[in-house]
Amino acid sequence: MEVKGFTLSIIVSNRFGVLARIAGLFCKRGYNIETLHADPMTEDNNFSRIILTSKGDEATKLQIIKQLAKLHDVREVKII
């Protein structure tokens, strides 16, 4: 089981509490957020882009992506 770092681009609705729910998802499952950056999107202020890095094996990475995609305010999750 090889642990590697990965970076996610997450497009979310620009609402209060969204970042807390994403951080809570990581906390509940015992995953660590290495870095986090959030900015409103220039194309549409109704959405924000969160760039997040974490570490884990392939199964962990896929599990995080699936769990993030289930959150109501998450519009898109991509590995970059």
Side-chain angles (χ1 to χ4, degrees):
M1 175 167 38
E2 185 178 345
V3 177
K4 290 198 253 182
F6 57 91
T7 304
L8 298 175
S9 171
I10 309 163
I11 306 296
V12 298
S13 297
N14 199 4
R15 296 190 200 179
F16 64 91
V18 174
L19 185 56
R21 285 191 288 279
I22 289 172
L25 182 145
F26 276 76
C27 182
K28 284 182 210 172
R29 287 158 182 79
Y31 304 141
N32 191 37
I33 296 173
E34 300 289 325
T35 65
L36 179 77
H37 181 81
D39 273 326
M41 296 186 68
T42 55
E43 305 86 30
D44 188 348
N45 284 338
N46 293 318
F47 298 99
S48 292
R49 180 184 315 274
I50 298 171
I51 305 294
L52 181 145
T53 61
S54 189
K55 289 183 180 174
D57 60 12
E58 191 66 25
T60 300
K61 179 171 58 173
L62 294 175
Q63 185 65 29
I64 289 171
I65 292 168
K66 286 179 189 176
Q67 293 295 317
L68 285 170
K70 288 181 184 179
L71 294 176
H72 176 70
D73 288 314
V74 172
R75 302 293 178 224
E76 179 181 298
V77 181
K78 289 195 302 189
I79 297 171
I80 55 173

